[in-house]
Amino acid sequence: MVDTKYSDRSIPKISLHDFESRIDEITSQLVAAAETDGFFAIVNHGIPVEEVEAQFDAAERFFSLPDDVKATVPFSHKNTGWEKKAQIRPSTGVADQKESYQMQFGELMDGMWLSEDTIPGFKEQSLGFMRKVQKVSEKLMVCFARGLGFPDDYFIKVHDIARPNIQTVLRALHYFAVDPTVPTPDGYCRAGAHADWDFLTLLFQRPGQSGLEICPGREAFTAFGLGDTWTKVEPAAGEIVCNIGDLLMSWSDDRFKSTFHRVKTPTNPEVDYYGPRYSMAYFNQPNTDCQIQGPLKKYPVVTGTQFTQAAMKRNFAALEAKKAANKLEEMKGSVAQAV
């Protein structure tokens, strides 16, 4: 079934200018956005457009390498490395038509960086960019901690990138170009509808490379249901698009909303973007040994590891259900043709 309903509403845009003197105002704006949309864009965040573009250039250099070179740092259980057409969403049951490379801090990246000879300066460039995004993330963490009645440094402490058991990653993404002169192949999907399971995602998009759409309506972090009214989020220079993840939704006792989103598969040359699409997602994920529970204690205490494992289990169960449903539809189609 193809989603056809759209809403023209815009997501909130929040400036971090003069953060220290405006922290109460910014906190109020962030909390309001988290309680309603689950998505918002931040501006005046301190990372120049030129530095964002430099990281995009670095990612493009990586993805332009031959597949057999990228395959020397394959995606692993450590949540690091390169994959191609390997991620299958429960909402679609088919692989996203993209490739990605996930980078972490510290020893988890041992053996997962390509050599300097292969891609000069890439490691240093990427780690420097990641540290700058982490600083922006920490400002948002202070605001969300205040909004939930926790100490200012509550979330910062459990997202300590200096510790060896951090899970935060920067994911560089490359969606493959689609030929606009022929019908989009059946089963082709750029990124199926999903909700992130992390604490908070900071997404960088290249202007002109559209496709991101959001679908609000989720009421609990354990729920898989979603509505069918989508809102397009166009890329804009200088903006970081942020969304609440399942983890923060749970940590807020479902007060903050983890919103479903997708990267639309282009089907209409008059309105859709068919070219290669590059984006970068910084997933704030806490230390594995942290204790997770909201102020109202709606859900039992779990560790960072336990939350991640439960999220993966839910995803696997939903994916298996989708595969079964697809198989049933195929069988019905075969029976109909036979008749």
Side-chain angles (χ1 to χ4, degrees):
M1 179 179 179
V2 177
D3 297 297
T4 56
K5 292 194 297 183
Y6 280 89
S7 167
D8 291 331
R9 69 188 185 88
S10 59
I11 66 172
K13 289 181 172 55
I14 301 170
S15 172
L16 302 189
H17 180 64
D18 289 337
F19 181 80
E20 297 299 331
S21 63
R22 295 180 53 244
I23 189 169
D24 290 340
E25 175 189 355
I26 294 170
T27 295
S28 177
Q29 293 173 349
L30 286 172
V31 167
E35 289 177 334
T36 53
D37 300 89
F39 260 82
F40 54 91
I42 55 173
V43 296
N44 302 317
H45 42 71
I47 304 179
V49 172
E50 296 77 15
E51 294 187 15
V52 175
E53 191 56 33
Q55 186 60 32
F56 270 123
D57 288 341
E60 196 166 351
R61 282 198 296 137
F62 176 91
F63 289 126
S64 67
L65 294 169
D67 283 2
D68 60 350
V69 174
K70 292 176 287 190
T72 62
V73 287
F75 188 79
S76 72
H77 68 280
K78 296 186 294 184
N79 206 24
T80 59
W82 174 74
E83 61 80 24
K84 182 179 181 180
K85 299 181 181 179
Q87 186 167 23
I88 302 176
R89 311 283 186 181
S91 60
T92 62
V94 298
D96 291 349
Q97 296 300 299
K98 63 169 174 48
E99 60 180 327
S100 70
Y101 177 59
Q102 294 205 163
M103 297 160 272
Q104 291 198 26
F105 297 94
E107 61 187 29
L108 286 174
M109 284 298 291
D110 290 350
M112 300 305 293
W113 295 105
L114 292 175
S115 69
E116 277 293 299
D117 291 339
T118 302
I119 185 166
F122 180 80
K123 176 181 177 180
E124 181 180 0
Q125 159 76 34
S126 298
L127 285 173
F129 181 77
M130 290 163 67
R131 293 187 187 100
K132 291 179 180 179
V133 183
Q134 177 67 18
K135 292 296 183 183
V136 176
S137 297
E138 290 176 358
K139 290 181 178 180
L140 303 179
M141 289 177 191
V142 170
C143 294
F144 286 128
R146 287 190 174 197
L148 294 172
F150 292 126
D152 282 4
D153 62 353
Y154 182 81
F155 291 129
I156 294 176
K157 283 183 175 179
V158 298
H159 289 84
D160 185 355
I161 61 174
R163 295 188 61 202
N165 62 350
I166 188 63
Q167 302 180 90
T168 292
V169 301
L170 174 66
R171 187 181 200 189
L173 297 126
H174 170 216
Y175 299 90
F176 307 120
V178 183
D179 185 352
T181 66
V182 298
T184 303
D186 289 340
Y188 191 102
C189 182
R190 277 197 154 169
H194 64 282
D196 295 341
W197 58 263
D198 65 334
F199 180 86
L200 180 71
T201 303
L202 279 67
L203 179 70
F204 297 83
Q205 303 185 92
R206 264 185 161 168
Q209 299 182 0
S210 62
L212 177 65
E213 299 179 346
I214 66 173
C215 181
R218 202 173 191 205
E219 292 302 322
F221 90 93
T222 54
F224 275 102
L226 67 160
D228 60 355
T229 300
W230 294 88
T231 296
K232 298 180 180 181
V233 181
E234 295 294 335
E239 289 186 2
I240 305 176
V241 176
C242 305
N243 66 275
I244 305 301
D246 286 359
L247 182 57
L248 181 51
M249 189 167 183
S250 173
W251 225 327
S252 70
D253 302 305
D254 292 333
R255 178 180 167 191
F256 299 160
K257 305 304 181 184
S258 175
T259 300
F260 278 87
H261 52 285
R262 68 183 182 185
V263 178
K264 184 181 184 296
T265 298
T267 55
N268 184 348
E270 294 184 4
V271 296
D272 293 335
Y273 173 70
Y274 279 72
R277 185 180 190 274
Y278 294 90
S279 63
M280 299 181 295
Y282 189 81
F283 297 105
N284 288 279
Q285 299 169 179
N287 300 95
T288 57
D289 60 353
C290 76
Q291 301 287 303
I292 299 167
Q293 188 175 49
L296 303 180
K297 299 179 172 54
K298 179 176 180 178
Y299 300 106
V301 177
V302 294
T303 65
T305 295
Q306 290 170 331
F307 191 93
T308 300
Q309 290 174 342
M312 296 302 98
K313 185 177 180 180
R314 289 196 308 274
N315 187 78
F316 179 78
L319 182 56
E320 290 302 304
K322 180 64 176 181
K323 288 180 179 178
N326 287 347
K327 187 174 182 179
L328 180 60
E329 288 299 317
E330 291 176 2
M331 292 173 61
K332 288 181 179 178
S334 299
V335 171
Q337 289 180 3
V339 172

